[in-house]
Amino acid sequence: MNASISNNRPAATGHSSYAPYIKARWGLKNHWFPALFSEELKEGEFDATTLCGEPILLRREAGQVHALEDRCCHRGVPLSKKPYCFKEGTVTCWYHGYTYGLGDGELKTIIGSPDDPLIGNASIKTYPVTEAAGMIFVFVGDADFGEPPPLSHDLPPQLRAAGEDHYCAHLLNPNTTVRGIRRQGAANWRLASENGFDPGHVLVHQDSPWVYAQDWALPLGFRPVTEHATTTFVENNAPRGILNEYVPGADGVAHYEPVMHNEMLDVSAFGGQNVPAGLRTSMWLPGVLLVENAPYPGMSMYEMYVPIDDQTYQYWELIACETPTPEDETAFVDQYENYLKKAMFNDFNDQDLVARDAMQPFYAQDAGWSAEQLCSLDAVIIGWRKLVAGYARGIQSPPKELSRPRKSRTL
Amino acid sequence: MNASISNNRPAATGHSSYAPYIKARWGLKNHWFPALFSEELKEGEFDATTLCGEPILLRREAGQVHALEDRCCHRGVPLSKKPYCFKEGTVTCWYHGYTYGLGDGELKTIIGSPDDPLIGNASIKTYPVTEAAGMIFVFVGDADFGEPPPLSHDLPPQLRAAGEDHYCAHLLNPNTTVRGIRRQGAANWRLASENGFDPGHVLVHQDSPWVYAQDWALPLGFRPVTEHATTTFVENNAPRGILNEYVPGADGVAHYEPVMHNEMLDVSAFGGQNVPAGLRTSMWLPGVLLVENAPYPGMSMYEMYVPIDDQTYQYWELIACETPTPEDETAFVDQYENYLKKAMFNDFNDQDLVARDAMQPFYAQDAGWSAEQLCSLDAVIIGWRKLVAGYARGIQSPPKELSRPRKSRTL
Amino acid sequence: MNASISNNRPAATGHSSYAPYIKARWGLKNHWFPALFSEELKEGEFDATTLCGEPILLRREAGQVHALEDRCCHRGVPLSKKPYCFKEGTVTCWYHGYTYGLGDGELKTIIGSPDDPLIGNASIKTYPVTEAAGMIFVFVGDADFGEPPPLSHDLPPQLRAAGEDHYCAHLLNPNTTVRGIRRQGAANWRLASENGFDPGHVLVHQDSPWVYAQDWALPLGFRPVTEHATTTFVENNAPRGILNEYVPGADGVAHYEPVMHNEMLDVSAFGGQNVPAGLRTSMWLPGVLLVENAPYPGMSMYEMYVPIDDQTYQYWELIACETPTPEDETAFVDQYENYLKKAMFNDFNDQDLVARDAMQPFYAQDAGWSAEQLCSLDAVIIGWRKLVAGYARGIQSPPKELSRPRKSRTL
């Protein structure tokens, strides 16, 4: 993995140094976002979701998933309210029978006005779709963006080669089983992503039964001690992200030091004896967290913070495990269903969910961005903001109730 | 019936050609609107409603209904919260005893300050009231409008003379029984009225048990085939409206052709064998639908879309039937209560109610008016919009919390 | 008691004559407000409230109550969500461990970053606190206001000396027992305070079981008959308020005349034979009502209308009784718990609560202030508005999500 390494304490940290981030209330456009788990959309079914403020209709036909604007161009009603398919490759609006091609969104016919001059002269937006790791991904972007990049550019990369120390599963690898859930959080997606890999929020988890069960030595915080505590990935045509080097690198050098005692408060680190092996966090555009070697060595946890609107996000929580044999898969799925799902998502991650929501009022009207008082634990968050500001493919605009200008005509 | 016949495909169809319609979020002022069913307000009772954003108190005294602004001029509380009548012809506010004349809205006394200089120098708005067809109608208009027009100008006219083909009941005729319901819809009144007589929305009703029970041949749509498919009524001092000539006129010429097949989708008309006889729709200012010969030949259905505020309307649904004898009346009421009420209102009309609500978000901020992509089925809707723009007696302003300027004074 | 007596019918009564009052949506700053009953915050406990739009954390330590801004300066979360005390005299945020001094609000440490340069360079607002009469009072004011005035300046004074006619209990006196409740009302605090001592709202109470039980002669209203019907107190360094002289003064002269009949309506005063002895109402900055000799001679009722936000107030209802002996106290508490609490608060005062809420829509967007039509019964309300406009220590600004500018720094 090549990485452009950046300084973990940028010279400028004021919010003017990452102004586009402040504007990104509705998310980052021209990126891939997860829309549904694949198993949520069976052959011949329709479903709908909202990504970055855009209502999207999904349809699986002959195995392939199509995504279209979920809004009829005629009178604006959601197609998903009662979508009809009278003919393969089309979807017909339940209200006046406007019928669109699944592939191009063009108006193919109007059921009660087959010779209408509007036919062929109107359309709704379509979205590139791909499926991977049991999820349906949709590319939310400009109509004139051109060919979308590969999905892998919008997911964390494989950071260590197989066989390397602390190698762990990757959700795009073959023979990898991925399990997870999705649910909504009541905060802006940026607050969710910042909490995701925040090295200073350990206190939130200090009474976690999961942490207790691991008998982990949970420090009070992590202090960056070298210039290389964080690494930024900014190459073109590759995932762009920022990595917390919690564990020593190949050279054995530790870049973070755990804080075990606070003298002023006379408080010492909570917890037990064990040190998590190879656990490391990184955050990737357009808002994907990777936790390596979690919940157990060899596994990977992913979290995705997908804007629904400017104050709600879809929270995806995933665990990936390499399962070369069917027995491995059965064992992992069993462990996930009976223990990890509850322990990681409904115990540990619930504590984060609550914390994110608690920040929302302070940032709701954007006052928080200039009023917040960050500390040195937040260096990596500043790094993330600058990464987004500099390397996102675009900043999503608020919905105007229409995702693109229409061809205009008169009756 | 004299009618000024207009072209059913107006040259200009852009929304600038009916700009006042776009501004009419709060309804059309200087028109009659139904407020309550007569039986909802018994002798000596008070009740309240909201018409076009104006809160209105209703009182029946000695048989006559009075309508006043439902807001005390003193501190703005609703009189209807606990209206007192200490003396015939007056209503007293429950809070400080401001007492108004039912007829003129003038402040007649203050219960605890009988010599107050404000008495005779303050007032609340009053509204003309009339009762007909079992309903209380209120004229919502400017204080300086002058004598209101007769109610009949704000209702559909009798379109065919008695004895003529397809003659059907009219709600203002003697020996006519009217039954119906009212309920709220969550859309702007304009979306409701446009759906009311939309010739293109047949698909919404294709799975209606009522249609199935009639064994009707329900076409996919109706295509206008002559210049006279719609007729516009724009005379002064008469009802103003627009009529869909679904059935051939006296000359036997058909102006609409049913669309029975869509080749591209390979879909044919739904339903059975029967053709509705004399069924025709028309829409009248300030938002009243007439469906002739529905639900059965000889009957008439009326719908009224009365603005409550700019995103809610009162939906009135009525059936009128001529009942020359008491036995006729008993038979119709029995049929209505046991069958028609459920079949027409809670089956067929429910499908329209849902469709109207589905349009609301697209038009809520007015974006829909310029973004919609109308087709040839919508010609009559354009016609309706232009009729409103050109012939409504006024466009209601948003409430300023006061319906007219007060006489000002100092203590 | 020295009083600067003012004319009860001010020359100018238009709302421009008390413009600062119209701006005081969020309350009056630089005043004392009740936050909690003392018994609601036990030793070692935290609690929270909102006063004039400011979120406030309360903490009792070694008996003393401390009040701080309930919002961490780091990411804006409420400390009260899960406040930690790791060390006496401090409170630690549950999210990232920012730790503040209870006394000065200064950032003392960050649990996981003990050497952080932000420590000592950031703070949250603190509030002066005092306890009296079983209540915790907080001074909501400007950071640079200086030493707050004594609490007694923001409460009604003792209006009559002991031994004088109609002397009654005062909540700050020794050997006085105070009991009461607090609850929320859905109106702006100004509407609540105006209703509190409004001489014209008798009608609201005409069907009160409490009034009936007293067999009181409840007039229709009270007409001011001398120049001295109201007295205004405007001295510096003393309570500022306005008094309705319902009962004759020491000279035996009556300044108000009860209105017993309204001829136009042919309505006479409601109720029985008894005349309340010494009952008098007055209203004091920042919104405290005193009802002398209520509910019984010798007792005092207090009501406080404390802004939570601009459309909600905390409604405090209190009864004070002198109880020189433990037996007196037991008897009063018994009477309060078994009768007065229900009769005064949940009967009589409920009628006022409803009336205040009913005014709110008319004044919500400030339209009511210029549209209202006041009458002569409202002279004392105009007096109160001018008193607030002229003598309040300040007008609270709307929350900007931050109660004071922060010291700024870069990482």
Side-chain angles (χ1 to χ4, degrees):
Chain A
M1 189 77 215
N2 294 316
S4 309
I5 293 167
S6 78
N7 196 322
N8 72 307
R9 304 232 188 171
T13 58
H15 63 282
S16 64
S17 69
Y18 43 81
Y21 185 80
I22 306 300
K23 291 186 187 148
R25 292 174 71 96
W26 290 86
L28 307 179
K29 69 178 178 181
N30 301 321
H31 284 270
W32 290 100
F33 294 93
L36 297 173
F37 284 109
S38 291
E39 64 175 21
E40 294 182 89
L41 191 71
K42 302 208 164 44
E43 177 63 25
E45 287 184 351
F46 288 97
D47 205 341
T49 190
T50 301
L51 299 175
C52 306
E54 302 191 14
I56 296 174
L57 178 76
L58 294 139
R59 158 82 169 172
R60 189 187 295 276
E61 197 175 279
Q64 198 190 335
V65 178
H66 302 272
L68 296 92
E69 184 177 350
D70 186 19
R71 186 165 40 202
C72 184
C73 73
H74 182 208
R75 306 299 304 262
V77 300
L79 302 172
S80 60
K81 202 171 182 76
K82 194 175 180 180
Y84 288 118
C85 176
F86 290 116
K87 183 193 170 82
E88 200 173 302
T90 69
V91 56
T92 295
C93 180
W94 52 270
Y95 196 178
H96 300 88
Y98 276 44
T99 301
Y100 303 96
L102 289 183
D104 57 12
E106 295 286 334
L107 182 66
K108 301 298 185 194
T109 191
I110 298 170
I111 199 165
S113 187
D115 306 321
D116 207 281
L118 190 64
I119 295 167
N121 290 303
S123 63
I124 53 175
K125 186 174 177 180
T126 56
Y127 296 86
V129 177
T130 193
E131 286 191 89
M135 286 176 278
I136 299 167
F137 290 86
V138 169
F139 188 78
V140 179
D142 295 322
D144 60 358
F145 182 78
E147 187 66 22
L151 170 63
S152 61
H153 290 187
D154 288 355
L155 288 174
Q158 179 88 51
L159 288 166
R160 298 180 192 280
E164 216 179 328
D165 268 8
H166 303 315
Y167 167 83
C168 55
H170 188 274
L171 84 175
L172 294 182
N173 280 358
N175 297 322
T176 301
T177 303
V178 180
R179 283 292 180 279
I181 64 171
R182 64 183 181 96
R183 48 180 167 163
Q184 288 193 14
N188 187 270
W189 75 276
R190 293 166 298 179
L191 301 175
S193 65
E194 292 184 2
N195 173 82
F197 74 126
D198 172 359
H201 77 300
V202 185
L203 197 57
V204 163
H205 298 303
Q206 58 103 344
D207 56 0
S208 159
W210 161 256
V211 170
Y212 184 84
Q214 304 310 302
D215 199 29
W216 273 354
L218 194 70
L220 300 174
F222 293 91
R223 186 202 328 260
V225 289
T226 78
E227 295 279 293
H228 305 299
T230 62
T231 306
T232 309
F233 299 79
V234 297
E235 260 186 65
N236 277 334
N237 300 318
R240 285 126 303 135
I242 184 165
L243 171 71
N244 276 313
E245 296 280 6
Y246 283 138
V247 288
D251 56 2
V253 177
H255 303 289
Y256 269 101
E257 187 180 78
V259 176
M260 303 307 286
H261 190 72
N262 183 301
E263 181 138 355
M264 191 272 176
L265 295 178
D266 194 19
V267 169
S268 294
F270 314 97
Q273 308 296 327
N274 300 333
V275 175
L279 191 142
R280 215 167 50 160
T281 62
S282 51
M283 179 65 67
W284 304 86
L285 293 180
V288 185
L289 174 72
L290 168 62
V291 188
E292 294 169 82
N293 293 294
Y296 294 117
M299 294 184 188
S300 294
M301 276 186 64
Y302 295 86
E303 300 188 17
M304 301 173 183
Y305 316 100
V306 182
I308 296 172
D309 58 29
D310 64 339
Q311 51 193 349
T312 321
Y313 66 100
Q314 189 74 233
Y315 181 30
W316 290 77
E317 305 163 74
L318 305 164
I319 300 173
C321 182
E322 290 200 352
T323 53
T325 70
E327 291 73 27
D328 292 337
E329 183 174 349
T330 301
F332 167 65
V333 170
D334 182 74
Q335 184 183 36
Y336 170 79
E337 291 293 347
N338 291 296
Y339 181 55
L340 292 178
K341 184 178 177 179
K342 176 96 179 59
M344 295 314 299
F345 301 159
N346 292 117
D347 162 21
F348 195 87
N349 284 2
D350 275 2
Q351 299 176 321
D352 290 307
L353 200 69
V354 165
R356 293 161 193 162
D357 292 2
M359 283 185 281
Q360 177 64 15
F362 190 62
Y363 292 89
Q365 305 303 325
D366 286 339
W369 303 110
S370 51
E372 61 182 12
Q373 291 283 330
L374 302 184
C375 67
S376 30
L377 298 170
D378 297 311
V380 68
I381 288 177
I382 298 288
W384 162 247
R385 293 176 181 181
K386 297 177 90 164
L387 178 79
V388 171
Y391 298 96
R393 294 190 199 104
I395 304 298
Q396 176 77 338
S397 300
K400 298 188 200 23
E401 291 173 358
L402 281 174
S403 44
R404 64 170 172 172
R406 317 283 183 165
K407 297 173 195 167
S408 70
R409 63 181 286 281
T410 51
L411 273 180
Chain B
M1 187 79 214
N2 294 316
S4 309
I5 292 168
S6 79
N7 197 323
N8 71 309
R9 304 233 186 170
T13 58
H15 62 283
S16 63
S17 68
Y18 44 80
Y21 186 80
I22 307 300
K23 292 187 185 144
R25 293 174 70 96
W26 291 85
L28 307 179
K29 69 178 178 180
N30 302 321
H31 283 271
W32 291 100
F33 294 94
L36 296 174
F37 283 110
S38 291
E39 65 176 19
E40 293 182 90
L41 190 71
K42 302 206 164 47
E43 177 61 25
E45 286 184 349
F46 288 97
D47 204 341
T49 191
T50 301
L51 299 174
C52 306
E54 302 192 14
I56 296 176
L57 178 76
L58 294 139
R59 158 81 170 173
R60 188 187 295 276
E61 198 176 278
Q64 199 190 334
V65 178
H66 302 272
L68 297 91
E69 184 177 351
D70 186 19
R71 184 165 42 202
C72 184
C73 74
H74 182 209
R75 306 300 303 263
V77 300
L79 302 172
S80 60
K81 201 171 181 75
K82 193 175 182 178
Y84 286 119
C85 175
F86 289 116
K87 183 192 170 83
E88 200 174 301
T90 68
V91 56
T92 296
C93 180
W94 52 270
Y95 196 178
H96 300 88
Y98 277 44
T99 300
Y100 303 96
L102 289 182
D104 58 12
E106 295 287 332
L107 183 66
K108 301 297 186 194
T109 191
I110 299 170
I111 200 166
S113 187
D115 306 321
D116 206 282
L118 189 64
I119 295 167
N121 289 303
S123 63
I124 54 176
K125 184 174 178 179
T126 56
Y127 296 86
V129 177
T130 193
E131 285 192 88
M135 286 175 278
I136 299 167
F137 289 86
V138 169
F139 188 78
V140 179
D142 295 322
D144 60 359
F145 182 78
E147 186 67 21
L151 170 64
S152 61
H153 291 189
D154 288 356
L155 287 174
Q158 178 87 51
L159 287 166
R160 298 182 193 278
E164 214 179 329
D165 268 7
H166 303 316
Y167 167 84
C168 55
H170 187 273
L171 83 176
L172 294 182
N173 281 358
N175 297 322
T176 302
T177 302
V178 180
R179 283 292 181 278
I181 64 170
R182 63 183 181 96
R183 48 180 167 162
Q184 288 192 14
N188 187 271
W189 74 277
R190 292 166 297 179
L191 302 176
S193 65
E194 293 184 1
N195 173 82
F197 73 127
D198 172 0
H201 78 298
V202 185
L203 197 58
V204 162
H205 297 302
Q206 57 104 342
D207 57 359
S208 158
W210 161 256
V211 170
Y212 184 83
Q214 305 309 304
D215 199 28
W216 273 353
L218 195 68
L220 300 173
F222 293 91
R223 187 202 329 259
V225 289
T226 78
E227 296 279 294
H228 305 299
T230 63
T231 307
T232 307
F233 299 80
V234 297
E235 260 185 64
N236 277 334
N237 299 318
R240 284 127 302 134
I242 184 165
L243 171 71
N244 276 313
E245 296 280 6
Y246 284 138
V247 287
D251 56 2
V253 177
H255 303 290
Y256 268 102
E257 187 180 78
V259 177
M260 303 308 285
H261 190 70
N262 183 301
E263 181 139 356
M264 190 270 175
L265 294 179
D266 194 18
V267 169
S268 293
F270 314 98
Q273 308 297 327
N274 300 333
V275 175
L279 191 143
R280 212 164 55 157
T281 63
S282 52
M283 179 65 67
W284 303 86
L285 293 181
V288 185
L289 175 72
L290 168 62
V291 189
E292 294 169 85
N293 294 295
Y296 294 118
M299 295 185 188
S300 294
M301 276 185 65
Y302 295 86
E303 301 189 17
M304 301 174 183
Y305 316 99
V306 182
I308 297 171
D309 58 29
D310 65 339
Q311 51 193 351
T312 321
Y313 67 99
Q314 189 76 233
Y315 180 30
W316 291 76
E317 305 164 72
L318 305 165
I319 300 173
C321 182
E322 290 200 354
T323 53
T325 70
E327 291 72 28
D328 292 336
E329 182 174 350
T330 302
F332 168 65
V333 169
D334 182 73
Q335 185 184 34
Y336 170 78
E337 292 293 346
N338 291 297
Y339 180 56
L340 293 177
K341 184 178 176 180
K342 176 96 180 57
M344 295 315 297
F345 301 159
N346 292 119
D347 161 21
F348 195 87
N349 284 1
D350 275 2
Q351 298 177 322
D352 290 308
L353 200 69
V354 164
R356 293 160 193 164
D357 293 2
M359 283 186 280
Q360 177 63 16
F362 190 63
Y363 291 88
Q365 305 304 323
D366 286 340
W369 303 110
S370 51
E372 61 182 12
Q373 291 283 332
L374 301 185
C375 67
S376 30
L377 299 170
D378 297 311
V380 67
I381 289 177
I382 298 287
W384 161 247
R385 292 176 182 180
K386 296 177 92 165
L387 177 79
V388 171
Y391 297 96
R393 296 190 199 102
I395 304 298
Q396 177 77 337
S397 300
K400 299 188 198 23
E401 290 174 359
L402 280 175
S403 43
R404 65 171 172 174
R406 317 284 184 165
K407 299 172 193 168
S408 71
R409 64 180 286 281
T410 51
L411 274 181
Chain C
M1 189 79 215
N2 294 317
S4 310
I5 293 169
S6 78
N7 197 322
N8 70 309
R9 304 233 187 170
T13 58
H15 63 283
S16 63
S17 69
Y18 44 81
Y21 186 79
I22 306 300
K23 292 186 185 146
R25 293 173 70 96
W26 291 85
L28 307 178
K29 69 178 177 180
N30 302 321
H31 283 271
W32 289 100
F33 294 93
L36 296 174
F37 284 109
S38 291
E39 65 176 20
E40 293 182 89
L41 191 71
K42 301 208 164 45
E43 178 62 25
E45 287 184 350
F46 289 97
D47 204 341
T49 191
T50 301
L51 299 174
C52 306
E54 302 192 13
I56 296 175
L57 178 76
L58 294 139
R59 158 81 170 173
R60 189 186 295 276
E61 197 176 279
Q64 199 191 334
V65 178
H66 302 271
L68 297 92
E69 183 178 349
D70 186 19
R71 184 165 43 202
C72 185
C73 73
H74 182 208
R75 306 300 304 262
V77 300
L79 302 171
S80 60
K81 202 171 180 75
K82 194 175 180 180
Y84 287 119
C85 176
F86 289 117
K87 184 192 169 84
E88 201 174 299
T90 69
V91 55
T92 295
C93 180
W94 52 270
Y95 196 177
H96 299 88
Y98 276 45
T99 301
Y100 303 96
L102 289 183
D104 57 13
E106 294 286 333
L107 183 66
K108 301 298 186 192
T109 191
I110 299 171
I111 200 165
S113 187
D115 306 322
D116 206 283
L118 189 64
I119 295 166
N121 289 303
S123 62
I124 53 176
K125 185 173 177 180
T126 56
Y127 296 86
V129 177
T130 193
E131 286 191 87
M135 285 175 279
I136 299 167
F137 289 86
V138 168
F139 188 79
V140 178
D142 295 323
D144 60 358
F145 182 78
E147 186 66 22
L151 170 64
S152 61
H153 291 187
D154 288 357
L155 287 174
Q158 178 86 52
L159 287 166
R160 299 183 192 278
E164 216 179 326
D165 269 6
H166 303 316
Y167 166 85
C168 56
H170 188 274
L171 84 176
L172 294 182
N173 281 359
N175 296 322
T176 302
T177 303
V178 180
R179 284 293 181 277
I181 64 170
R182 64 183 182 95
R183 49 180 166 161
Q184 287 193 14
N188 186 270
W189 74 276
R190 292 166 298 179
L191 301 176
S193 65
E194 292 184 0
N195 172 81
F197 74 126
D198 172 0
H201 77 299
V202 185
L203 197 58
V204 162
H205 297 302
Q206 57 103 344
D207 57 359
S208 159
W210 161 256
V211 170
Y212 184 84
Q214 303 308 304
D215 198 28
W216 272 353
L218 195 69
L220 299 173
F222 293 91
R223 187 202 328 260
V225 289
T226 79
E227 295 280 292
H228 305 300
T230 63
T231 308
T232 309
F233 299 79
V234 298
E235 259 186 66
N236 278 334
N237 300 317
R240 285 128 300 135
I242 184 165
L243 171 70
N244 276 313
E245 295 280 7
Y246 284 136
V247 288
D251 55 3
V253 176
H255 304 289
Y256 268 101
E257 188 180 77
V259 176
M260 303 307 286
H261 189 72
N262 183 301
E263 181 139 353
M264 190 272 175
L265 296 178
D266 193 18
V267 169
S268 294
F270 314 97
Q273 308 297 326
N274 299 333
V275 175
L279 192 142
R280 212 166 53 160
T281 62
S282 52
M283 179 66 67
W284 304 85
L285 293 180
V288 185
L289 173 73
L290 168 62
V291 189
E292 293 169 85
N293 294 295
Y296 294 117
M299 295 185 187
S300 294
M301 277 186 64
Y302 296 86
E303 301 188 17
M304 301 173 183
Y305 316 100
V306 182
I308 296 171
D309 59 29
D310 65 339
Q311 51 193 350
T312 321
Y313 66 100
Q314 188 75 233
Y315 181 30
W316 291 76
E317 305 163 73
L318 305 165
I319 300 173
C321 182
E322 290 200 355
T323 53
T325 69
E327 290 73 28
D328 292 336
E329 182 173 351
T330 302
F332 168 65
V333 169
D334 182 75
Q335 184 184 35
Y336 170 79
E337 292 293 347
N338 291 296
Y339 181 55
L340 293 177
K341 184 178 177 179
K342 176 95 179 59
M344 296 314 298
F345 302 159
N346 292 117
D347 162 21
F348 195 88
N349 285 1
D350 275 3
Q351 299 177 320
D352 290 309
L353 200 69
V354 164
R356 293 161 193 163
D357 293 2
M359 284 186 281
Q360 177 63 16
F362 190 62
Y363 291 88
Q365 304 304 324
D366 286 339
W369 302 110
S370 51
E372 61 182 12
Q373 291 283 333
L374 301 186
C375 67
S376 31
L377 298 171
D378 297 312
V380 68
I381 288 177
I382 298 287
W384 162 247
R385 292 175 181 181
K386 296 177 92 164
L387 178 80
V388 170
Y391 297 96
R393 297 191 198 101
I395 305 298
Q396 177 76 339
S397 300
K400 300 187 197 22
E401 290 173 1
L402 280 174
S403 43
R404 65 170 171 173
R406 317 283 183 165
K407 297 172 195 170
S408 70
R409 63 181 284 282
T410 51
L411 274 180

